[in-house]
Amino acid sequence: MIEQRSVQVCEDCGTRIPETDSRGDCPACGGLLEIVHESSSDPSSLKELFAERRAQIGGVEQSGVWRYRELVLPTAADVDVVSHPEGNTPLMQRQRLSEWTGVDDLWIKHEGHNPTGSFKDRGMTVAITQARRTGASAVACASTGNTSASLAAYAAHAGIPALVFVPAGRVALGKIAQTIAYGARTLVVRGNFDVCLSLAVEARNALGVQLLNSVNPFRLEGQKTIVFEVVEQLDWAPPDWIALPAGNLGNTAAFGKALREARSLGLISRMPRMAAIQAAGAAPFARSFAGGFAERLHVEPETIATAIRIGAPASWNRAVRSIRETNGVVASVTDDEILEAKAVIDASGIGCEPASAASVAGVAKLRRAGTIREGESVVAVLTGHLLKDPGAVVSYHQDTEPRPAHANRPIEIDATLAEVERVLSRQSQ
Ligand code: AN7
């Protein structure tokens, strides 16, 4: 067996602390921590191992996170792992989406197919596993809804009390329903996500709970597996581009780390370019990119895509590194562009929540601008399931005036065949 060791390293000052230290930030300077796995593995045996595990029946390695355990949390034993299981999400192509975006070779990676319906489960299985290994008495997060749903589900599985801070009136119905149902203590805060996160940090310091937002380095280790799975599904031939929605920038950070590690291990032979897409009303990272990342910006966020309604992203420096190292771009799309992309994704039978549609809207925009060139291959990540935000669907199709381009209005009728015929003949005219 390969000798493996993992440590936490401060990204700002390089201080090293043991993997099992659960304080959450650098003891010397307060900087964000990064997990470094010190091991030597050869790429072809790793690829074989990952593929073998995929065919396995039962056991933790059937998870699409834990079958990459050497690159995620090698020291976790099977009994430590808290898994639902997660990952192994589909990579799909749809003619309609290729036509709409103008990208023939477009792949959709649907992370809404995770146990709680979002990509957050991949990070949460690792963070909760580590929280249990280090004896956490309680776990907490601030969230726009998906992290809280995921935290609640994994904490329930682990038997650890969960505390969540969510912005009042700005969490989509499916997410708040999940969070309550899975049993987390739910605090609805009068303030936006950024306010919730500051409060959660204070609560960590005062109450001694472990904070599992994506500033927690173990979350990022799990989220890396989206990228590993994508390149594995493409037989280890990376696409030209990987597009994803960006809010608090945890995923942007995780994707860059995954690509860097996959490249240095020799799992892939070249880097795809990353395209991080923000909502125009919550786009500090896109604005900063346009200015060469000279400044770290904050905005007062507003967008229909409540998942990414974030004005002061926490994983900023890590995300800048991801974009730089992949020769990536950051773009923004308006709420109307998001809603149109979502309507087309939904009508293709795939479906997603509004924030997820930002990736596909961004791909269409970058293709029109010529940034994505003719013939290039693109993987667009859908981060959350359609049913997360039923309110957005009803409002678009039923309540919006004037009627949007792709609206599909339900029609209420009396229970007679004559009514059915009347409505159908009117519609076919
Ligand atoms: C569907 O749940 O921040 O840039 O608290 O739910 O890694 O923050 C959610 C973020 C994209 C952005 N798509 O990812 C939370 C939260 C969906 C999301 C993002 C989120 P990051």
Side-chain angles (χ1 to χ4, degrees):
M1 203 50 213
I2 317 155
E3 174 82 24
Q4 297 208 289
R5 215 170 73 88
S6 306
V7 290
Q8 303 186 69
V9 181
C10 174
E11 293 184 342
D12 294 337
C13 72
T15 296
R16 293 161 75 88
I17 63 174
E19 179 202 35
T20 48
D21 190 318
S22 61
R23 74 184 76 210
D25 54 15
C26 174
C29 77
L32 296 185
L33 298 167
E34 179 180 57
I35 311 295
V36 176
H37 306 298
E38 298 176 330
S39 65
S40 55
S41 336
D42 103 273
S44 49
S45 45
L46 277 178
K47 287 177 186 176
E48 261 174 49
L49 204 54
F50 300 155
E52 269 167 30
R53 290 174 180 160
R54 182 145 202 179
Q56 212 164 287
I57 296 168
V60 302
E61 287 170 356
Q62 70 184 316
S63 152
V65 171
W66 294 100
R67 66 195 179 85
Y68 304 103
R69 66 198 302 169
E70 286 75 9
L71 313 182
V72 172
L73 192 62
T75 51
D78 285 12
V79 292
D80 296 329
V81 170
V82 184
S83 168
H84 268 303
E86 46 292 309
N88 294 320
T89 60
L91 185 68
M92 303 176 269
Q93 294 200 291
R94 291 291 182 277
Q95 186 66 30
R96 187 167 186 162
L97 294 177
S98 288
E99 281 165 13
W100 190 77
T101 55
V103 176
D104 289 342
D105 199 2
L106 176 69
W107 295 87
I108 301 295
K109 177 66 171 168
H110 206 329
E111 287 295 303
H113 288 235
N114 273 292
T116 76
S118 87
F119 75 100
K120 302 287 183 183
D121 294 341
R122 292 193 188 249
M124 204 53 74
T125 180
V126 182
I128 292 278
T129 293
Q130 185 66 8
R132 195 168 68 173
R133 288 175 92 199
T134 55
S137 55
V139 290
C141 73
S143 177
T144 56
N146 279 326
T147 302
S148 61
S150 189
L151 177 93
Y154 282 82
H157 187 9
I160 302 173
L163 175 66
V164 311
F165 300 84
V166 293
R170 297 295 187 158
V171 179
L173 184 61
K175 306 175 190 182
I176 195 82
Q178 288 178 293
T179 306
I180 299 166
Y182 297 136
R185 174 66 64 90
T186 305
L187 303 182
V188 179
V189 180
R190 292 181 209 104
N192 64 25
F193 168 82
D194 306 295
V195 171
C196 291
L197 185 54
S198 309
L199 189 57
V201 170
E202 275 184 65
R204 170 186 68 188
N205 298 338
L207 309 175
V209 295
Q210 282 196 23
L211 188 60
L212 302 194
N213 275 97
S214 56
V215 290
N216 177 302
F218 294 93
R219 283 269 310 278
L220 300 193
E221 292 308 289
Q223 287 174 205
K224 289 187 323 193
T225 62
I226 302 170
V227 166
F228 299 149
E229 208 169 87
V230 162
V231 290
E232 186 185 31
Q233 284 168 314
L234 294 172
D235 202 14
W236 302 101
D240 295 306
W241 291 89
I242 299 182
L244 79 166
N248 209 27
L249 301 177
N251 227 16
T252 305
F255 279 33
K257 187 169 193 280
L259 290 168
R260 189 186 321 138
E261 291 175 359
R263 179 86 182 79
S264 85
L265 282 163
L267 291 169
I268 55 172
S269 55
R270 64 183 181 86
M271 287 292 225
R273 298 178 70 183
M274 283 177 60
I277 315 295
Q278 297 206 287
F285 195 55
R287 265 183 34 211
S288 177
F289 170 78
F293 289 131
E295 278 181 289
R296 182 167 180 165
L297 302 172
H298 295 179
V299 301
E300 182 57 41
E302 194 49 85
T303 167
I304 189 154
T306 52
I308 51 175
R309 188 173 175 275
I310 294 171
S315 290
W316 187 279
N317 293 338
R318 298 169 165 175
V320 168
R321 183 174 176 197
S322 294
I323 297 301
R324 288 204 168 124
E325 287 185 358
T326 64
N327 186 26
V329 300
V330 189
S332 66
V333 289
T334 65
D335 280 3
D336 282 347
E337 290 171 312
I338 288 174
L339 286 173
E340 189 181 348
K342 172 173 156 55
V344 178
I345 296 162
D346 290 354
S348 76
I350 287 181
C352 67
E353 68 165 283
S356 306
S359 64
V360 172
V363 168
K365 194 168 199 168
L366 292 169
R367 178 68 196 98
R368 280 197 303 275
T371 311
I372 295 175
R373 289 190 296 259
E374 176 89 53
E376 288 189 315
S377 58
V378 179
V379 171
V381 179
L382 298 181
T383 42
H385 197 279
L386 182 147
L387 290 174
K388 287 285 191 173
D389 194 349
V393 178
V394 172
S395 145
Y396 178 88
H397 289 280
Q398 189 169 301
D399 300 339
T400 304
E401 291 296 345
R403 189 187 170 115
H406 301 273
N408 175 25
R409 296 231 155 135
I411 303 155
E412 187 173 320
I413 59 164
D414 291 330
T416 65
L417 185 57
E419 276 275 85
V420 175
E421 285 171 341
R422 184 181 62 79
V423 167
L424 293 185
S425 68
R426 199 177 61 201
Q427 287 215 318
S428 59
Q429 277 161 19

